[in-house]
Amino acid sequence: MRGVPVHESDYARDPVHPVRCSDLTTVFPDAVAVGPDRAAELPGLIRRGALIVCSAATDGDLDRLVSAAPRLYDVLWVGSPGLAAALARRCARVDGPVAPAPAPARRPLVVVGSAHPATRRQLAVLRARADVRGVTVGDDPTPAVEALRTLTAPVLTVRTPDERHAPHTARALARSLASVVRTLAGKRLVDALVVTGGETAATVFQALGINGIDLLDEPEPGVARGTPLGASSPSPS
């Protein structure tokens, strides 16, 4: 991660899922390690049902590895956004209808449950804007809901406290965060969601009855935009 082993980065201090080892061949001793120069071996390994750890340093490496798989759906792909991009390039359609752009959001709610320093820096930049206001949620979601209902800013934010927490506390805060979102969405006080963090998104979407996302586009690198499936609620990003 930017030249720093993952087990020495901020992810090593995550209270819920701390990373203790950066070497996947150590984490999965039965795995077969394959680099881009051995991509030709992948079809045989896939047919055998092998657990494969692929090493890649560039987007070109990822493209070679993905292209070597005869059928993408024969593989359970697990990896980084770079791998997702390589899979998207392999599956890209050159024609077909273009999904219509969603209507502009008039009252988005930014939901931040991650305590990762990069996420908090991004939130600080956002909240420095004059048109953004927000609150911090605690164990009881009621004060946060009441505070957000009184705000008139075009963009609202709700976040958990900055400090990292033990797993049980983090889960309780995530549930409180989801309760705030469900209340505001139910009262139509917001019309779009921007959610950071997979675990935060899962908790929020479960509270809203959302069981999937119909992806539309990628307005910014690493930011997926789509409409929810399974519930009538603000459009998540």
Side-chain angles (χ1 to χ4, degrees):
M1 182 179 176
R2 296 185 176 87
V4 178
V6 179
H7 70 280
E8 296 178 3
S9 70
D10 289 314
Y11 291 104
R13 295 180 290 278
D14 188 283
V16 181
H17 303 293
V19 177
R20 304 301 188 196
C21 178
S22 301
D23 186 354
L24 290 179
T25 58
T26 299
V27 178
F28 303 107
D30 295 330
V32 179
V34 175
D37 57 334
R38 297 175 56 192
E41 300 176 28
L42 283 177
L45 293 170
I46 293 171
R47 283 193 298 269
R48 286 165 39 198
L51 175 61
I52 308 166
V53 170
C54 295
S55 176
T58 67
D59 287 341
D61 291 342
L62 290 169
D63 287 335
R64 282 189 289 276
L65 292 165
V66 168
S67 297
R71 296 182 301 182
L72 296 182
Y73 51 79
D74 284 341
V75 180
L76 174 60
W77 300 91
V78 180
S80 66
L83 175 61
L87 290 168
R89 287 191 290 272
R90 166 105 182 246
C91 298
R93 296 189 303 180
V94 296
D95 54 12
V98 178
R106 293 176 297 177
R107 198 82 190 293
L109 173 65
V110 181
V111 184
V112 179
S114 171
H116 192 280
T119 301
R120 295 296 159 150
R121 289 193 296 269
Q122 292 169 336
L123 178 62
V125 171
L126 177 66
R127 294 190 65 180
R129 292 172 49 120
D131 58 347
V132 179
R133 291 291 182 271
V135 300
T136 300
V137 71
D139 294 335
D140 180 3
T142 304
V145 170
E146 294 304 318
L148 287 167
R149 292 181 65 177
T150 65
L151 297 177
T152 59
V155 180
L156 300 179
T157 69
V158 58
R159 63 173 181 172
T160 54
D162 288 335
E163 63 270 14
R164 294 179 182 272
H165 302 277
H168 68 281
T169 302
R171 287 190 290 269
L173 287 170
R175 290 192 295 268
S176 186
L177 197 68
S179 178
V180 172
V181 176
R182 183 176 61 244
T183 301
L184 267 62
K187 295 181 179 299
R188 301 296 177 185
L189 297 176
V190 295
D191 62 358
L193 299 178
V194 179
V195 185
T196 66
E199 192 162 351
T200 299
T203 305
V204 169
F205 292 170
Q206 183 178 27
L208 294 175
I210 295 173
N211 55 33
I213 299 175
D214 184 10
L215 293 175
L216 297 176
D217 56 13
E218 186 184 28
E220 295 288 341
V223 177
R225 178 166 57 176
T227 55
L229 301 174
S232 177
S233 53
S235 300
S237 297

